[in-house]
Amino acid sequence: MTPSAVHYYFPGREALLDALIVDGWDTLAVALRACYEQTRPLPAHERWIAVTRAHRSWALEHPSEYLLLYGHNGLRVTPSGDPGVQKAMSKVVAVLFTMMRDALAAGEIDAERLQTATPAHLRQQLADWRETTDEMAGLPDGALVACLIGYTQLHGAITLELVGRIPPQLQPTALFDLQMAHISGSLNAPPSPW
């Protein structure tokens, strides 16, 4: 295909980027959902490690797409108004919310401690966000904070690796696994005293 032929299928650069982003979100969501379903019998914290490994594997196999999705190069710091982009992204985020529900049900997340530590103005923002996102319905503020902490640390770790900012002396896989285990452990509810 010649560069000019692209314009036959897409009216402009934004529409082309939207199509690439939707395709990226969709394929990432399929990979994450498949891993989640395969690891359903595992405890929630082990499932978290498995699904985040799947997320990293997808990113390493599709580095350009991953960096486009998460706006590393500034192409898409602000998402377009295309509802298809938001819908595709929500499929990926839905897996995270599903894992959070599992962790809450298993008593593995200290949502109460996290909620207490969350400033009132941020809790209000979470409440406003919850009203606009079906996947978040019923999740308490502490669980949403846990999701955001996990989400930002997951993507920070992956992005640093993709852009070559991990010290070359370190083995990235072992470091990533340690980071994901630390996230899970830091969000855990304290064990019962008896």
Side-chain angles (χ1 to χ4, degrees):
M1 180 181 290
T2 64
S4 60
V6 170
H7 296 288
Y8 177 79
Y9 298 98
F10 301 99
R13 179 178 179 272
E14 289 300 308
L16 174 59
L17 284 174
D18 285 345
L20 291 170
I21 289 169
V22 167
D23 181 65
W25 287 125
D26 283 344
T27 58
L28 176 56
V30 167
L32 296 183
R33 182 59 65 181
C35 182
Y36 173 83
E37 294 299 334
Q38 291 170 352
T39 59
R40 192 180 278 272
L42 297 177
H45 66 277
E46 291 180 29
R47 192 176 315 113
W48 161 257
I49 298 295
V51 172
T52 57
R53 283 178 179 160
H55 204 128
R56 176 178 175 260
S57 293
W58 188 90
L60 294 175
E61 292 167 13
H62 306 90
S64 297
E65 292 93 331
Y66 184 88
L67 294 174
L68 178 64
L69 296 179
Y70 290 98
H72 161 65
N73 58 8
L75 284 175
R76 266 308 177 67
V77 175
T78 305
S80 78
D82 182 348
V85 171
Q86 295 302 319
K87 182 178 179 183
M89 181 183 178
S90 72
K91 294 175 190 175
V92 171
V93 177
V95 178
L96 180 65
F97 290 136
T98 301
M99 289 193 304
M100 181 54 60
R101 288 183 199 292
D102 294 347
L104 278 171
E108 292 188 10
I109 297 295
D110 192 349
E112 187 176 310
R113 175 179 55 93
L114 291 165
Q115 183 165 323
T116 300
T118 305
H121 67 279
L122 181 54
R123 285 197 310 269
Q124 182 57 55
Q125 293 170 16
L126 292 169
D128 294 344
W129 183 31
R130 186 185 298 110
E131 290 180 15
T132 65
T133 308
D134 292 338
E135 296 87 5
M136 295 167 53
L139 283 173
D141 292 348
L144 294 179
V145 169
C147 284
L148 291 171
I149 290 169
Y151 193 71
T152 57
Q153 291 184 15
L154 167 66
H155 297 298
I158 292 171
T159 300
L160 287 174
E161 182 176 358
L162 288 179
V163 299
R165 296 298 185 258
I166 302 295
Q169 299 84 353
L170 301 180
Q171 204 282 331
T173 300
L175 179 61
F176 181 82
D177 285 351
L178 178 63
Q179 290 169 306
M180 296 306 106
H182 175 75
I183 293 166
S184 178
S186 70
L187 301 175
N188 280 352
S192 173
W194 52 84

